[in-house]
Each structure stands twice: as structure tokens, then as C-alpha cells.
């Protein structure tokens, strides 16, 4: 019986559902599934320029595990590039930061600190807000 | 009576909104009571590390209640959450003026 997979903490989910290649004759429906934690690994190390140790602590996993997720992410992206496949993001073994909300009226994403009483969108004052936690 | 910080590419109301927080060029501080705005240069924009943390500390000095930006780094996010400062993420490519008008309604 292997150990259970620890949930990886993700600060914020990606803002897209996927990427599609264009300018190709191939019209296949094949795709590569990029997990949220893999997106986060790429973001932390290549966009925020953190080292693997810092990034792994942030995601609540060990450094070797982070390295594995990061490698798997790179390989998936490379596979999609070379084989002209679509990339789709899927939830994976992720634990979302529960503090993010989205406004359905203006698409702004925001947090609500404990000191704030009203639950309205800070941009358009709409009350059509939704938590991004555990969204599938 | 709240102060909102908006990340900006320049130091005028017509400037474009900056989608980065720690490495934003300028911070626009908008006071919802006096409807006044002032601009503060981000000196940490080009630092190699810890730009987000330093910018978050600057927000405390400015007594900001709300920050509007395009993306918050993980360190800045953690810190701002502890400090009870509201973070707002929008992806619009627009001017500071436009955002100020939207929040001051």
C-alpha cells in the first residue's frame, strides 16, 4: 500500500482552461493534461524565479516531490509542443487557497480579509461572488 | 475612508495599469474620502529578490486597505493576508483613471 498523495497547495488557479496550437494541418483532438500543481510549479520556478526549496515549502511538499512535479510539467509542455497537441488544465491533487473569491459580474478575483464585514465585489460592488475553493 | 493602492506603469492618471505587484513601476494611492490620488515610485522593481515582500511592507506604511494589481507573488500574498489587506486581481488592460472611476462609484 503506497503512501497517500499529499495535497499540493496552489496559490491561485491558472486563468485559462488550456492552450491550442494554431497554423498546423493536424486536426487531432488529442491533448495533454496539465495539472494545477504542475502549472503552479512552472509559475513558481520560472516566473517568480524561486528556487526549488522555497517553492516546495510554499506548496507544502518536499523538495524532491516538487522537482518531480516540475519535471513532469516541463515534459508535458514539451510533448504538447513537439506533437502539436492541445494543453488542458485539470484540477489534479490540489488544495486551493480558500481565500480567493471571484465576482461573476466583472470577473475580478479578490480576497476578503477577516476585518472586512461586507461580502461584495471591491470593483463593482456586486454581490454575485463565488469562492474559488475546491472548484472542479 | 479607505485607501486603495493601484499598480501603475507611470505616474499619471492616464498611465496604464501594471499587472505586477512587487515589480510594478509605480503605486497609485487613491483615497476614497478626499478622492485624491498620489503616485509613489517602486524602488524595489529591479531588485533581484524579495520585491514582493518589500512592496507589501511599503503597503503597511501607506496604510492601504485594498490593493488592485494583476498578480500577487506567493510571498506577498502570504504577508498581505496576515496584514488583513484586501487583494484584488483584475486582468483588464486599462488606465488608472478608468479603475479609479470604477471603484469610486
Amino acid at each position: 500500500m503506497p503512501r497517500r498523495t499529499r495535497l499540493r497547495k496552489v496559490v491561485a488557479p491558472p486563468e485559462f482552461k488550456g492552450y491550442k496550437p494554431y497554423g498546423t494541418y493536424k486536426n487531432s483532438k488529442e491533448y495533454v493534461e496539465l495539472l494545477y500543481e504542475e502549472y503552479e510549479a512552472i509559475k513558481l520556478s520560472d516566473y517568480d524565479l524561486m528556487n526549488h526549496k522555497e517553492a516546495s515549502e510554499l506548496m507544502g511538499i518536499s523538495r524532491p516531490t516538487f522537482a518531480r512535479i516540475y519535471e513532469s510539467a516541463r515534459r508535458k509542455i514539451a510533448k504538447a509542443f513537439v506533437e502539436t497537441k492541445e494543453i488542458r488544465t485539470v484540477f489534479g491533487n490540489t488544495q486551493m487557497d480558500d481565500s480567493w473569491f471571484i465576482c461573476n459580474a466583472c470577473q475580478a478575483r479578490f480576497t476578503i480579509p477577516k476585518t472586512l464585514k461586507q461580502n461584495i465585489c471591491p470593483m463593482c460592488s456586486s454581490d454575485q461572488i463565488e469562492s474559488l475553493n475546491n472548484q472542479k | 475612508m479607505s485607501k486603495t493602492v493601484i499598480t501603475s506603469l507611470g505616474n499619471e492618471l492616464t498611465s496604464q495599469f501594471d499587472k505586477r505587484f512587487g515589480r510594478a513601476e509605480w503605486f497609485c494611492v487613491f483615497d476614497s474620502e478626499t478622492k485624491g490620488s498620489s503616485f509613489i515610485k517602486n524602488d524595489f522593481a529591479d531588485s533581484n529578490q524579495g520585491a514582493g515582500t518589500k512592496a507589501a511592507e511599503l503597503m503597511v506604511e501607506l496604510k492601504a486597505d485594498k490593493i488592485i494589481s494583476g498578480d500577487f507573488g506567493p510571498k506577498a500574498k502570504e504577508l498581505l493576508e496576515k496584514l488583513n489587506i484586501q487583494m484584488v486581481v483584475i486582468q483588464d488592460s486599462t488606465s488608472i483613471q478608468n479603475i479609479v472611476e470604477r471603484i469610486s462609484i
Side-chain angles (χ1 to χ4, degrees), chain B residues 5-6 13 20 23 25 42 56 63 75-76 83 90 105:
Chain B
V5 172
I6 306 164
L13 279 173
R20 301 159 303 172
R23 293 182 195 285
E25 297 285 328
N42 183 7
K63 296 193 173 63
K75 284 185 196 160
L83 298 163
I90 52 171
I105 297 168

Side-chain angles (χ1 to χ4, degrees), chain A residues 32-117:
Chain A
V32 171
E33 284 191 339
L34 189 74
L35 307 178
Y36 277 15
E37 66 253 37
E38 290 169 339
Y39 160 83
E40 183 79 350
I42 295 261
K43 178 177 178 275
L44 291 180
S45 46
D46 294 332
Y47 184 80
D48 295 327
L49 303 177
M50 296 174 91
N51 63 40
H52 284 194
K53 182 137 201 311
E54 291 172 315
S56 62
E57 281 163 10
L58 211 103
M59 286 178 73
I61 50 181
S62 72
R63 195 200 47 77
T65 306
F66 178 84
R68 253 183 293 116
I69 294 172
Y70 177 63
E71 182 166 305
S72 146
R74 270 190 358 243
R75 290 190 178 175
K76 279 183 183 177
I77 291 174
K79 189 180 161 94
F81 278 178
V82 176
E83 300 177 12
T84 50
K85 279 179 178 165
E86 244 178 67
I87 298 172
R88 286 187 197 173
T89 52
V90 290
F91 197 79
N93 303 306
T94 308
Q95 182 187 22
M96 207 71 78
D97 257 320
D98 55 359
S99 50
W100 286 97
F101 292 84
I102 190 163
C103 168
N104 283 328
C106 69
Q107 307 301 321
R109 291 188 301 141
F110 52 94
T111 62
I112 299 179
K114 281 175 233 103
T115 47
L116 215 68
K117 290 287 181 292

Side-chain angles (χ1 to χ4, degrees), chain A residues 101-104 110 112 119-122 126-131:
Chain A
F101 292 84
I102 190 163
C103 168
N104 283 328
F110 52 94
I112 299 179
N119 285 352
I120 54 163
C121 170
S126 156
D127 56 358
Q128 294 174 38
I129 61 170
E130 195 186 318
S131 171

Side-chain angles (χ1 to χ4, degrees), chain B residues 49-101:
Chain B
Q49 268 199 326
T53 318
K54 284 175 189 150
E57 282 162 6
L58 180 70
M59 294 303 118
V60 183
E61 277 174 43
L62 295 172
K63 296 193 173 63
D65 304 294
K66 186 155 90 178
I67 303 163
I68 304 176
S69 189
D71 182 58
F72 293 92
K75 284 185 196 160
K77 185 185 177 286
E78 201 178 319
L79 206 61
L80 293 173
E81 201 156 66
K82 261 187 219 146
L83 298 163
N84 288 326
I85 299 175
Q86 184 171 39
M87 288 172 273
V88 184
V89 175
I90 52 171
Q91 291 295 320
D92 316 18
S93 296
T94 178
S95 68
I96 299 302
Q97 181 94 55
N98 183 293
I99 296 175
V100 166
E101 277 163 17

